[in-house]
Amino acid sequence: MTPPVTAPAAHPAQHPHPHPALAAADPEIAALVGAEERLQAGTLRLIPSENYVSPAVLEASGTVLQNKYSEGYPNRRYYEGQQVIDQVEALAVARARDLFGVEHANVQPYSGSPANLAVYLAFAEPGDTVMGMALPMGGHLTHGWGVSATGKWFRGVQYGVRADTGLIDFDEVRALALKERPKIIFCGGTALPRTIDFAAFGEIAEESGAILVADIAHIAGLIAGGAHPSPVPYADVISTTTHKTLRGPRGAMLMSRESHARAIDKAVFPGLQGGPHNQTTAAIAVALHEAARPSFRAYAETVVANAKALARELLDRGFDLVSGGTDNHLILVDLTPRHVPGKVAAKALDRAGLVVNYNTVPYDTRKPFDPSGIRIGTPSLTSRGLTVAHMGAVAEWIDRGVAAAGRGDEDALAVIRAEVAELMAAYPAPGLPV
Ligand SMILES: *Cc1c(COP(=O)(O)O)cnc(C)c1O
């Protein structure tokens, strides 16, 4: 029998288009998605807040759960037809409780910033004093920093790290808390290379009568995987994104003891949000399921081992690291001794296929939009399978890239980019078409 004659396919049969409906309906966006896929595949992502989700998380977040409105909570909705969605959200909540060992979890916040805003709504009134780490010291905007709504509608008082050690000074935090009596104290941040002492914050919050919020957005995956201590015994509320080390979809969760459950749930809905993003809820449930597996513990351990090895290799090449190294997934490099501004270095490294972000260092003498440091991390490269054995090469590329940035050597950056692409081709990214 002769096979039927078919029209030549736009793509060879063994490589069907990864997004055929999108390509047919909107070639422009399909082309941009393809370009982003190639960019993510061919570069080394060193941004510590980014990661690659698994194919399962990616599929869950692209489902028809998207089509459903579900204002309210399981079995208490304002829309009918929740027979399935209720089960999805209940499963996500149960998995969050099991994984982190908490009594209550709310999986509806759209992202980390709205999750934190819900905490203010639950526990403070406009004008109240709140305390967090200053943004240029490594805190987050939503911890009461001036340009954020949380710093405009609340009175933010801020602590930092010591200039000599790069570490949090708990005497300073305690003195500030007892003087200012904040309603809420935030701990955690976006550029903290060291273990957070949740017990010390817990004591200070108790002494000063504040609600302690542990914002574990960056380190949730490390905590779930046993590679960083848990705030559960000490924090009143735990706030986290789901898309950083936890390797879930872009989203967030608030966790607490049962005694705060009502306040948190009311603040998220109806206080702040409308309908939850059910496709995201499903993808969070999948990510939590994956994070409960033994392989995720190995992942979290390798993230930290890789960061420690990379820090060592950078120190060996004369780099100045804030706090002298790392305990977690993140390294903050002060480029002042190299005489290359952080932004110049970050942009040059990007051209070399090494994706980092420029970042302030504590007591930075330069402006936040043009600071002295770069921030790098190992969650993404660990998701692609790189190990401690690769960290010498990564440090060498960063060293050569910063040097090339300093002398404006585009040819040297192009050579690095080709070397990076060659290594990354051997370590395909989860979720990306080959
Ligand atoms: C990333 C982050 C957030 C905010 O998350 P978004 O999803 O970007 O709004 C909040 N707090 C900390 C500590 C973070 O690192």
Side-chain angles (χ1 to χ4, degrees):
M1 231 181 90
T2 47
V5 177
T6 52
H11 293 264
Q14 60 270 41
H15 286 301
H17 196 288
H19 318 289
L22 180 61
D26 190 337
E28 258 182 300
I29 287 293
L32 290 172
V33 171
E36 174 66 18
E37 285 167 348
R38 287 189 296 281
L39 189 60
Q40 291 193 14
T43 53
L44 180 59
R45 314 177 80 202
L46 290 160
I47 294 179
S49 51
E50 292 183 357
N51 216 324
Y52 300 94
V53 298
S54 70
V57 167
L58 205 54
E59 281 180 16
S61 61
T63 55
V64 297
L65 275 59
Q66 171 88 261
N67 297 341
K68 194 73 195 109
Y69 243 111
S70 322
E71 284 182 352
Y73 291 99
N75 304 315
R76 296 177 279 143
R77 305 281 192 188
Y78 291 83
Y79 290 73
E80 296 313 313
Q82 307 296 342
Q83 295 84 346
V84 176
I85 298 296
D86 273 2
Q87 296 180 61
V88 170
E89 186 170 335
L91 207 47
V93 167
R95 287 176 180 174
R97 284 200 304 234
D98 285 352
L99 184 65
F100 288 95
V102 291
E103 292 175 2
H104 179 68
N106 184 312
V107 297
Q108 292 193 6
Y110 298 142
S111 212
S113 301
N116 284 347
L117 206 50
V119 174
Y120 288 83
L121 194 56
F123 298 105
E125 296 292 329
D128 278 351
T129 299
V130 298
M131 190 167 125
M133 182 178 251
L135 182 70
M137 294 281 180
H140 191 260
L141 281 166
T142 55
H143 298 182
W145 190 246
V147 297
S148 152
T150 63
K152 289 186 195 293
W153 298 340
F154 301 89
R155 191 177 146 265
V157 296
Q158 312 264 287
Y159 58 88
V161 295
R162 287 176 61 111
D164 53 346
T165 59
L167 301 176
I168 292 169
D169 181 339
F170 283 100
D171 293 333
E172 184 210 339
V173 177
R174 173 177 284 103
L176 195 61
L178 293 176
K179 174 166 166 269
E180 302 286 356
R181 297 279 166 181
K183 276 268 181 67
I184 304 174
I185 297 175
F186 281 87
C187 62
T190 63
L192 306 179
R194 295 297 180 177
T195 300
I196 299 169
D197 188 345
F198 295 119
F201 276 107
E203 258 177 45
I204 292 170
E206 199 168 314
E207 268 177 65
S208 58
I211 292 278
L212 179 65
V213 182
D215 184 345
I216 62 168
H218 260 259
I219 54 175
L222 303 185
I223 292 169
H228 186 291
S230 168
V232 169
Y234 313 107
D236 295 289
V237 180
I238 298 168
S239 173
T240 187
T241 57
T242 48
H243 49 270
K244 298 179 185 175
T245 49
L246 195 54
R247 299 186 67 180
R250 305 200 81 82
M253 308 193 292
L254 289 170
M255 298 178 279
S256 71
R257 291 184 203 112
E258 196 52 45
S259 53
H260 293 313
R262 227 181 97 76
I264 288 171
D265 285 355
K266 264 180 59 189
V268 174
F269 175 85
L272 194 65
Q273 298 190 166
H277 295 177
N278 297 312
Q279 76 284 3
T280 301
T281 306
I284 289 174
V286 175
L288 293 167
H289 189 56
E290 292 177 344
R293 294 196 300 226
S295 59
F296 195 86
R297 293 188 84 80
Y299 168 72
E301 279 164 24
T302 309
V303 167
V304 174
N306 280 344
K308 284 178 186 286
L310 181 55
R312 171 50 51 205
E313 295 284 354
L314 290 169
L315 288 168
D316 287 349
R317 287 165 178 79
F319 280 97
D320 181 7
L321 309 186
V322 172
S323 83
T326 183
D327 299 326
N328 53 31
H329 65 301
L330 182 149
I331 298 164
L332 191 55
V333 186
D334 185 348
L335 291 173
T336 308
R338 299 287 292 247
H339 306 293
V340 182
K343 198 181 196 172
V344 171
K347 290 196 172 296
L349 290 172
D350 191 42
R351 295 198 291 282
L354 302 161
V355 191
V356 306
N357 55 307
Y358 61 85
N359 213 97
T360 55
V361 296
Y363 305 97
D364 209 322
T365 51
R366 301 177 62 89
K367 300 239 156 57
F369 198 59
D370 185 19
S372 298
I374 54 170
R375 189 183 69 148
I376 59 185
T378 52
S380 293
L381 62 79
T382 307
S383 294
R384 293 183 76 157
L386 298 198
T387 66
V388 166
H390 298 102
M391 294 306 112
V394 174
E396 187 66 26
W397 283 327
I398 293 170
D399 193 16
R400 280 164 54 198
V402 169
R407 53 176 205 274
D409 186 344
E410 291 300 318
D411 291 345
L413 296 175
V415 171
I416 299 169
R417 190 179 183 98
E419 292 174 10
V420 169
E422 194 187 331
L423 179 71
M424 297 327 286
Y427 292 89
L432 295 191
V434 265

